[in-house]
Amino acid sequence: MSDLLKVTNLSVHFPVRTRGVWRKTVGRLVAVDNVSFSIARGETLGLVGESGSGKTTLGLAILRGTQPTSGQVELTAATGTIDVTKLDKQALRDARQHFQMIFQDPYSSLNARMTVRDIIAEPLIARRTQKLDRKAIDQRVIEIAEQCGLNREQLRRYPHAFSGGQRQRIAIARALVLHPDLVVCDEPTSSLDVSIQAQILNLLAELQESLGLTYLFIAHDLAAVAYVCDRVAVMYLGQIVEIGATRDVYFTPRHPYTEALMSSVPEPDPSAPLQPMLLQGERPDPANPPSGCRFRTRCRYATELCATTPPVPVEIEPNHFAACHYAKELSLKGALALRNAGQDKVAE
Ligand SMILES: Nc1ncnc2c1ncn2[C@@H]1O[C@H](COP(=O)(O)OP(=O)(O)OP(=O)(O)O)[C@@H](O)[C@H]1O
Ligand SMILES: [Mg+2]
C-alpha cells in the first residue's frame, strides 16, 4: 500500500510567557517533538497517550491548524504530492479539501444559526475551484447526509434540534462533503453517551470502507482504538514512544509506558479485577521535561543510562518500533483482557 501521509521530524513549540502586561517569553513548551510516521491509503492509525501528551497538537499541525515549528508533512493525493508545511495561505485553503478534522465536541463545532443543510454545504460554497450551482450543491449535501445516516427532512432544521450523536453525524457529513483523503478524528466519540459511541464508530468504519478514507484516530478509549485501528502510535510528552500493528502494540508492548497504558484496559467481564499499573510520580512539566528518556521518572525499569541518553526508536520486529533502551530485553505485559474479547481487530 502506498503512503497517503508522511510526517517527518515534525515539531511544534509553544512559547511559555509570564502573566501580566508585558508577557515576556521565558521558555518554550515542546508539545510535539521530532515526530515521524506515515499512514497508508485506506488505513487507520490510532494515536493514544495521556492528557497533554500532544495528540491534538500533532493532529492540528498536520492540517496546519497549528503552525509547525519544523519538519515536513507530505500528503499524496490523486493530483500529486503536497508538502503541507510549505503551502502559502491561498494554496493551503485550496489543499484543505484533501484533509479534514472531526472534533470531540459536536455542540461547539456547529454554527447554531445555520440550518443543517447550510452547515454541510458551507465548505462546498467556500471552495474557490470547482464551483457548483445550487442544485448540484443540494444534491451533494443530500448524498453525503444520507451516507451519514441523516434524512432530507432533518436538513431544514437547526443544530439545537439534534442529540449529541446526530450532531456528530452532521459534523462528519460536513467534514466529508468535499471528498477528503485524510480525516483526523480527535476523540470523535468521547463526548457521547456510551450507547451512541458504538454507532458513531461503526459509521466511521462504514464510511472508510465506502469512501476509501484514511484516518488518524485520536482517542483515550483503548477499546475503541482496538476496534477501529490497524496500527497504533503511543505518545508520551510530545514524542511517539511506540508504534506498530494494533495487535503487537496491545499484546506485546515494547515500551514500559505502553505496558502501563494497557494495564488499564478493563476486562469484558465486569467482575474481573482491574489491576492498572499505576505510574509512579507526577507527570513532568512539559516545558521542562526530564533529561535522557522523558519517561524515566515514572518508569519502573529505568537505569542510569536512561537519565543520560535519550533512546531512539528501534525496530523490534517488522514495522514495530519502540524508543526504549531496553525494548529488546524487557518482557512486558499486554492487554490480555482484549485478547479474550474476540471481536476486535487485535484478535483477528
Ligand atoms: N495553543 C497553545 N499554546 C500553548 N500551549 C499549548 C497550546 N495548545 C496545547 N498546548 C500545550 O501543549 C501540550 C499538548 O497539548 P494537547 O492538547 O496537544 O494534548 P492532548 O494529548 O491532545 O491532550 P488531551 O488528551 O487532554 O486532549 C500541553 O502541555 C498543552 O498545555
Ligand atoms: Mg486533545
Side-chain angles (χ1 to χ4, degrees):
M1 255 188 296
S2 60
D3 286 339
L4 173 75
L5 179 76
K6 187 159 179 262
V7 175
T8 313
N9 303 123
L10 192 69
S11 294
V12 181
H13 300 178
F14 292 118
V16 178
R17 296 202 171 97
T18 52
R19 289 180 194 283
V21 185
W22 302 107
R23 311 221 346 117
K24 269 206 322 235
T25 300
V26 289
R28 60 180 188 159
L29 186 156
V30 182
V32 175
D33 187 16
N34 208 17
V35 163
S36 300
F37 63 92
S38 52
I39 313 183
R41 186 171 282 281
E43 185 184 40
T44 300
L45 177 70
L47 189 58
V48 301
E50 68 191 339
S51 191
S53 55
K55 305 179 298 296
T56 298
T57 307
L58 175 56
L60 285 168
I62 290 171
L63 313 185
R64 291 265 305 269
T66 289
Q67 187 60 29
T69 309
S70 58
Q72 204 177 32
V73 176
E74 289 167 298
L75 192 84
T76 304
T79 45
T81 298
I82 311 166
D83 184 345
V84 181
T85 38
K86 295 211 170 62
L87 299 177
D88 63 27
K89 233 177 162 177
Q90 200 58 262
L92 181 63
R93 263 190 67 189
D94 293 342
R96 280 261 152 77
Q97 61 178 303
H98 298 297
F99 40 80
Q100 290 291 323
M101 192 148 173
I102 297 168
F103 296 93
Q104 172 177 355
D105 182 9
Y107 287 87
S108 58
S109 61
L110 303 178
N111 187 337
R113 295 203 198 109
M114 286 164 76
T115 63
V116 173
R117 183 262 176 209
D118 289 347
I119 289 172
I120 299 175
E122 197 183 31
L124 277 175
I125 295 165
R127 162 167 82 169
R128 289 188 319 142
T129 54
Q130 302 168 52
K131 286 280 184 203
L132 301 177
D133 61 20
R134 193 183 161 91
K135 200 169 150 220
I137 289 173
D138 279 334
Q139 247 173 13
R140 175 68 192 136
V141 169
I142 289 168
E143 180 185 40
I144 193 68
E146 286 180 346
Q147 281 178 309
C148 293
L150 299 161
N151 61 41
R152 286 176 196 221
E153 198 267 320
Q154 289 172 321
L155 294 175
R156 284 199 296 267
R157 300 204 216 148
Y158 290 85
H160 64 79
F162 294 91
S163 65
Q166 282 170 316
R167 283 177 193 235
Q168 199 58 303
R169 288 176 190 272
I170 299 167
I172 293 170
R174 177 186 159 91
L176 300 185
V177 74
L178 293 179
H179 304 283
D181 297 284
L182 175 74
V183 183
V184 174
C185 307
D186 192 1
E187 314 234 11
T189 61
S190 54
S191 70
L192 306 176
D193 287 349
V194 176
S195 58
I196 308 296
Q197 290 183 0
Q199 290 177 16
I200 297 296
L201 286 181
N202 285 333
L203 173 67
L204 288 169
E206 279 163 32
L207 291 167
Q208 175 168 46
E209 189 77 24
S210 55
L211 305 176
L213 300 170
T214 303
Y215 291 142
L216 177 63
F217 187 87
I218 300 171
H220 275 119
D221 179 350
L222 292 168
V225 169
Y227 185 59
V228 296
C229 298
D230 304 296
R231 282 190 307 138
V232 180
V234 180
M235 267 189 109
Y236 186 79
L237 277 185
Q239 298 175 332
I240 290 185
V241 296
E242 180 158 2
I243 183 167
T246 306
R247 72 172 74 77
D248 293 340
V249 173
Y250 273 58
F251 298 145
T252 51
R254 295 298 191 148
H255 194 285
Y257 177 58
T258 314
E259 179 185 48
L261 268 187
M262 291 306 156
S263 71
S264 67
V265 178
E267 293 268 355
D269 172 5
S271 65
L274 180 63
Q275 292 173 322
M277 203 176 277
L278 292 177
L279 289 176
Q280 25 180 338
E282 294 280 301
R283 185 170 80 96
D285 174 2
N288 193 11
S291 63
C293 171
R294 290 187 168 192
F295 184 58
R296 66 165 170 93
T297 52
R298 297 166 81 189
C299 180
R300 54 170 68 200
Y301 310 103
T303 66
E304 235 161 75
L305 172 68
C306 308
T308 54
T309 313
V312 290
V314 273
E315 191 166 17
I316 313 293
E317 56 213 350
N319 300 315
H320 185 182
F321 295 82
C324 168
H325 292 300
Y326 302 102
K328 285 191 173 151
E329 290 138 61
L330 293 173
S331 167
L332 304 175
K333 281 205 203 76
L336 285 173
L338 280 177
R339 197 199 296 265
N340 305 328
Q343 88 275 42
D344 300 299
K345 280 216 180 199
V346 286
E348 270 169 16

